[in-house]
Amino acid sequence: MQWTGWQVQCTTGNTGSDADNTAAFSAEVIVVFVDPATLKGENRLLHPALDDALRDLSRRGAFGAKPGETTVLPTMGLLPAKYALFTGYEAAPWTTKSFRIAAGGIGRALARLNVSSLQWRMPPGLAGMASEHGVRVAAAAAAEGLLLGMYTRNTSASEGRAVPKLAVRFEFDAEDFSEEWVEGFLVGIQTADAVCYARELTNLPGNRLTPAVFAEEAQSLAVQVGLECRIYDEKEAAVAGMGGLLAVGMGSANAPRMIVLRYRGRPESDDWTGLIGKGVTFDAGGINLKNGMGLEEFISDMGGAAAVFGAMRGMAERKLRVNVVAVVPAAENMPSGSAFKPGDVIKTFSGQTVEVLNTDAEGRIVLADGLTTAIREGARRLVDVATLTGAVMHALGDVTTGAITNDEPLLQQILQASQRSSEYVWPLPAHPEYKRMLRSDVADLKNHGGAWGGAIAGGLFIGAFAEELPWVHLDIGGTAWMWADRDLEPKGATGVMVRTLLEWLERESATVE
Ligand code: BES
Ligand code: MN
Ligand code: ZN
């Protein structure tokens, strides 16, 4: 998607009810925010006849002005715009999150109407309401909601993504407008583009996104947005000693890859942040074969890698002043005569040995080599994103991403970023007692900690490869994939954590001198 094709304008002043001030800009749709209290009242929303129609729908229970709820009325020549789009939102308490969801409703309605120009009348008093995280975050939320709401799954991402190019004119009350709206909105479009990119990668079926194809995608992303790219194929990985990646990948006819992407936004600094994404392009479980239903979901087992790719795209497009090395261990976890087996002891890239108790706990093994790769590439702090466990879903459901850390300040930065992005992240405990679950009699670690605390055991296994660097692990096992549409998240891949990673790095970028 290209945001460069967008036209964004703003006007202030009379955003009252009549049509005459809209003549200069002809939009197909006029968007008006309505909160439940105003809907129940009598004051003018847009036009007397349309207001009557809307309030009639409301009395019938067909429109309640809930955030994300929309109603479209044809204007029948009453206004220059062909359609009036009423969208519910919460004025009190106003939150960035519900504003984003309201914008998502607009996006979904626009996608149905198939229009490309809109006149977007902002709710009065917005500047005051948007003070929660500031105007830029609110404006970005509007753009993110709009685009994420418009997104629909496309199973042929490689054939080119859908490119919505909209002409938008925002109308503000004079006291609500600031230049930051336009800046924030354009940033939000870039963020949403990065999220949609992550979704499309994750939605790609396993046969269309093998580790080798994933590596080619990394190369083309690098060319598109200006990154350095280094790929280790299975032979180079073997020479380097990436025993974890190879063990997981060797059961598949599609050989594994270690993908390294580098974004240098602060050439004067040699401080590097490592982002490591689990890139299991399909997880059948290996010899510990998963059973039965819903296996198709496991095309999403590279959702962490996709989030990292999305973040790389976003930070490069936004030219953030950060240095980031992204590492994606990409492998397919399959059962076969050449697959690794329970009981195997493997030597990881770090030199630590791992006793394999369950081949379905493969993510932590490839990520071990991913962390070591990032460290050898110069990373001084590490954030990994992974569909690591089903257990995190038992703990937090499909709503919240689980976090584990060895460094409280780094975790706090990520948690604060997640509040601005309205993606839920919640810390799991990491007391030393939990590490005992991973003790092995025959190797440095075993890859399965037992029946309980699975998300913690999995996370702490990865942490054992952080070499004491500040590290945060984000388990998106419950949040990377939806079985049904939810607010801004369509069925399928969510692109979760792209927004939080970009928020975090944006703040880092803003605070360097
Ligand atoms: N990719 C899965 C985790 C997962 C499961 C993500 C369901 C999303 C939905 C991971 O590789 C896995 O299989 N984990 C096992 C670990 C267990 C064998 C220790 C799990 O969670 O069941
Ligand atoms: Mn697995
Ligand atoms: Zn997996």
Side-chain angles (χ1 to χ4, degrees):
M1 270 189 282
Q2 294 286 316
W3 43 273
T4 42
W6 284 56
Q7 282 177 41
V8 179
Q9 339 175 341
C10 295
T11 63
T12 59
N14 173 20
T15 58
S17 55
D18 295 313
D20 44 336
N21 70 327
T22 63
F25 179 90
S26 72
E28 294 156 286
V29 178
I30 178 164
V31 174
V32 180
F33 286 82
V34 189
D35 70 283
T38 317
L39 185 62
K40 290 217 174 62
E42 304 219 317
N43 44 343
R44 180 80 66 88
L45 302 168
L46 179 63
H47 181 283
L50 296 169
D51 295 359
D52 281 351
L54 186 74
R55 288 190 164 119
D56 186 63
L57 286 173
S58 158
R59 280 189 292 275
R60 293 166 190 277
F63 180 67
K66 288 197 268 308
E69 191 184 1
T70 54
T71 278
V72 176
L73 297 177
T75 60
M76 303 296 210
L78 296 170
L79 296 171
K82 272 200 182 116
Y83 295 97
L85 170 54
F86 294 96
T87 183
Y89 85 113
E90 223 164 27
W94 189 96
T95 59
T96 313
K97 177 177 159 51
S98 75
F99 189 55
R100 188 186 279 101
I101 290 173
I106 298 170
R108 274 194 300 278
L110 291 185
R112 280 197 302 273
L113 287 172
N114 197 17
V115 294
S116 57
S117 59
L118 63 150
Q119 179 185 340
W120 182 330
R121 198 167 278 185
M122 284 300 181
L126 191 62
M129 297 190 285
S131 61
E132 185 192 22
H133 297 298
V135 166
R136 274 178 70 101
V137 170
E144 290 162 15
L146 186 68
L147 262 77
L148 296 177
M150 286 179 86
Y151 175 85
T152 50
R153 181 176 174 187
N154 171 6
T155 51
S156 47
S158 50
E159 289 155 29
R161 293 183 293 150
V163 183
K165 283 190 171 54
L166 299 184
V168 188
R169 184 167 79 169
F170 293 107
E171 295 177 358
F172 294 91
D173 276 1
E175 58 277 19
D176 287 335
F177 178 71
S178 87
E179 280 299 330
E180 281 184 77
W181 267 100
V182 187
E183 283 166 38
F185 190 80
L186 292 174
V187 165
I189 291 173
Q190 287 172 324
T191 302
D193 182 37
V195 176
C196 291
Y197 176 56
R199 287 179 179 178
E200 301 217 331
L201 286 174
T202 309
N203 279 331
L204 280 177
N207 61 336
R208 294 202 183 168
L209 189 77
T210 59
V213 174
F214 210 166
E216 283 165 26
E217 177 60 33
Q219 275 158 337
S220 67
L221 174 65
V223 171
Q224 274 176 57
V225 301
L227 309 170
E228 288 165 40
C229 181
R230 160 101 206 256
I231 308 294
Y232 295 78
D233 65 19
E234 72 276 27
K235 296 187 199 77
E236 292 160 315
V239 172
M242 298 174 178
L245 177 72
L246 290 164
V248 171
M250 74 191 183
S252 170
N254 298 309
R257 296 286 184 271
M258 184 65 83
I259 301 169
V260 181
L261 284 168
R262 204 178 264 282
Y263 168 70
R264 193 185 291 265
R266 272 185 85 195
E268 72 282 8
S269 159
D270 60 0
D271 186 55
W272 287 86
T273 294
L275 293 184
I276 305 98
K278 173 176 172 182
V280 173
T281 56
F282 185 71
D283 180 11
I287 296 297
N288 293 97
L289 187 62
K290 290 182 185 294
N291 53 7
M293 303 234 304
L295 242 97
E296 68 274 19
E297 172 189 354
F298 290 95
I299 64 168
S300 67
D301 213 18
M302 34 57 69
V308 168
F309 272 46
M312 292 305 275
R313 173 186 282 273
M315 75 185 77
E317 285 189 335
R318 273 148 73 168
K319 302 194 168 50
L320 296 186
R321 295 178 60 206
V322 290
N323 290 334
V324 177
V325 56
V327 176
V328 166
E332 199 174 70
N333 188 24
M334 296 287 277
S336 79
S338 59
F340 75 140
K341 306 173 292 296
D344 285 1
V345 172
I346 58 184
K347 188 167 178 188
T348 61
F349 191 19
S350 69
Q352 292 190 85
T353 54
V354 174
E355 180 190 9
V356 177
L357 290 189
N358 190 319
T359 62
D360 201 8
E362 84 296 342
R364 61 202 71 181
I365 298 177
V366 298
L367 283 165
D369 283 2
L371 262 68
T372 305
T373 304
I375 294 167
R376 302 219 175 150
E377 295 282 340
R380 292 207 203 147
R381 67 194 66 75
L382 306 164
V383 176
D384 79 77
V385 190
T387 49
L388 198 75
T389 66
V392 76
M393 236 178 317
H394 292 280
L396 302 173
D398 62 1
V399 175
T400 304
T401 294
I404 297 213
T405 191
N406 61 5
D407 188 84
E408 199 53 38
L410 182 61
L411 176 66
Q412 285 307 324
Q413 289 174 18
I414 304 261
L415 292 178
Q416 282 162 19
S418 78
Q419 280 167 13
R420 297 191 296 278
S421 70
S422 317
E423 292 185 316
Y424 297 121
V425 178
W426 200 258
L428 299 170
H431 307 299
E433 285 81 349
Y434 288 112
K435 293 192 182 134
R436 292 182 199 152
M437 295 195 284
L438 299 169
R439 281 187 195 155
S440 162
D441 301 331
V442 296
D444 295 316
L445 292 160
K446 59 187 184 190
N447 80 328
H448 185 211
W452 300 330
I456 299 172
L460 288 176
F461 180 98
I462 297 170
F465 297 84
E467 300 182 17
E468 315 297 324
L469 292 171
W471 156 79
V472 170
H473 158 69
L474 297 168
D475 191 338
I476 56 171
T479 49
W481 182 270
M482 291 295 129
W483 288 102
D485 291 356
R486 179 175 75 186
D487 296 330
L488 297 176
E489 295 161 326
K491 183 179 166 196
T494 61
V496 73
M497 289 300 113
V498 172
R499 277 160 37 201
T500 296
L501 291 174
L502 284 173
E503 259 312 320
W504 172 52
L505 293 167
E506 161 121 40
R507 189 56 63 98
E508 291 281 290
S509 168
T511 50
V512 296
E513 53 304 315

